[in-house]
């Protein structure tokens, strides 16, 4: 583990926002990178809007882990549901491949 000290390290925070017809979504997260290794997490909040009220609730905590190989990020994500859907036993596993364009 000590030999990793000279490798490039970065850490950042981010927010994402999406709007739908009757709801909106806000994600607050962080990601840590050490050379080729990626570790991150975020929490998703949902605003459900109808004619009578607006309900804001934490929907999910998302954990991701991955690796960078050349210009590609290979990531695995898992959603720990916090909303009413968690009672139904629903969860999400996701594998993503991102290509990073050079400037």
């Amino acid at each position: 583990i000590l030999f990793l000290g000279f490798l490039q390290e970065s850490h950042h925070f981010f927010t994402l926002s999406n709007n739908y017809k009757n709801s909106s979504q806000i994600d607050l997260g962080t990601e840590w990178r050490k050379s080729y290794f990626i570790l991150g997490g975020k929490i998703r909040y949902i605003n459900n809007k109808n004619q009578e009220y607006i309900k804001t609730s934490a929907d999910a905590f998302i954990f991701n882990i991955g690796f960078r190989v050349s210009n590609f990020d290979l990531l695995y994500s898992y959603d720990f549901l916090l909303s009413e859907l968690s009672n139904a036993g629903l969860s999400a596993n996701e594998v993503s491949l991102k290509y990073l364009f050079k400037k």
Side-chain angles (χ1 to χ4, degrees), residues 43-63:
I43 189 162
R44 175 177 298 139
Y45 289 94
I46 300 286
N47 291 324
N48 291 316
K49 305 170 198 166
N50 70 27
Q51 295 175 349
E52 298 173 13
Y53 67 91
I54 297 175
K55 179 183 176 187
T56 301
S57 60
D59 180 57
F61 176 76
I62 298 100
F63 167 78

Side-chain angles (χ1 to χ4, degrees), residues 15-19 24-28 43-47:
T15 61
L16 300 170
S17 177
N18 292 310
N19 291 306
S24 60
Q25 170 185 318
I26 298 172
D27 294 353
L28 304 171
I43 189 162
R44 175 177 298 139
Y45 289 94
I46 300 286
N47 291 324

Side-chain angles (χ1 to χ4, degrees), residues 2-101:
L2 293 177
F3 70 91
L4 293 177
F6 71 94
L7 298 175
Q8 183 179 3
E9 182 174 354
S10 68
H11 183 259
H12 66 273
F13 296 94
F14 62 89
T15 61
L16 300 170
S17 177
N18 292 310
N19 291 306
Y20 305 103
K21 276 187 175 181
N22 293 323
S23 67
S24 60
Q25 170 185 318
I26 298 172
D27 294 353
L28 304 171
T30 185
E31 188 174 85
W32 175 79
R33 293 173 181 262
K34 179 88 172 186
S35 183
Y36 55 86
F37 183 70
I38 304 164
L39 184 65
K42 64 182 175 181
I43 189 162
R44 175 177 298 139
Y45 289 94
I46 300 286
N47 291 324
N48 291 316
K49 305 170 198 166
N50 70 27
Q51 295 175 349
E52 298 173 13
Y53 67 91
I54 297 175
K55 179 183 176 187
T56 301
S57 60
D59 180 57
F61 176 76
I62 298 100
F63 167 78
N64 67 326
I65 189 168
F67 295 93
R68 173 165 288 169
V69 179
S70 187
N71 287 3
F72 293 93
D73 282 355
L74 179 62
L75 297 164
Y76 167 76
S77 299
Y78 182 79
D79 292 14
F80 296 95
L81 294 179
L82 305 171
S83 65
E84 295 87 19
L85 289 176
S86 65
N87 295 331
L90 299 173
S91 62
N93 292 282
E94 179 180 311
V95 175
S96 59
L97 180 65
K98 293 194 282 186
Y99 180 77
L100 307 167
F101 293 95

